[in-house]
Amino acid sequence: MPWLCHRRTGHVPEEENQVRKEGYLRGKAPRLSAGNAGPSVRAYAGRLPGGETGYTFETTVEPMHRDYMGRDGYIWREGMRGVLAVEGFEDEWVMIPVEVLSGEE
């Protein structure tokens, strides 16, 4: 079952092109985790709402559900089935395979 998701990219518009080209979405540990959270990929559930900058994608990797400031979201953590380690980066990163469906709505 594919999961439909979106990312808002306001300050990093080139992210969509990189993800579309490579077929993977990367993530690292949150900046404000006090060192107690491992790397993860985070996204909002559903299509990108109109008027927002970002892109819609789908993945076959099953996520955990998570609330992001009152919005339904997904998270893929290190060690979950289908979440891959990224080699060659200074920090720890993980990635999931995705297909970008659309850009800014």
Side-chain angles (χ1 to χ4, degrees):
M1 169 183 156
W3 280 268
L4 187 65
C5 318
H6 73 274
R7 296 263 300 186
R8 293 184 292 168
T9 58
H11 63 286
V12 190
E14 63 275 3
E15 177 183 315
E16 178 190 346
N17 291 332
Q18 179 181 352
V19 173
R20 186 182 296 274
K21 178 181 170 186
E22 296 177 0
Y24 290 95
L25 180 59
R26 294 184 176 98
K28 62 181 183 174
R31 290 185 303 251
L32 303 176
S33 68
N36 60 6
S40 62
V41 176
R42 296 166 298 282
Y44 293 100
R47 289 197 167 278
L48 181 70
E52 292 194 23
T53 302
Y55 58 95
T56 299
F57 69 92
E58 67 180 20
T59 183
T60 57
V61 180
E62 184 174 358
M64 293 172 36
H65 291 270
R66 183 169 180 140
D67 181 68
Y68 291 112
M69 295 186 274
R71 295 178 71 178
D72 190 22
Y74 295 133
I75 188 167
W76 296 266
R77 294 187 187 277
E78 181 179 34
M80 292 174 62
R81 181 181 301 199
V83 177
L84 308 169
V86 179
E87 303 295 328
F89 282 90
E90 185 175 310
D91 298 323
E92 289 185 55
W93 288 70
V94 293
M95 64 185 177
I96 58 170
V98 301
E99 179 182 352
V100 175
L101 302 178
S102 66
E104 189 171 337
E105 300 288 309

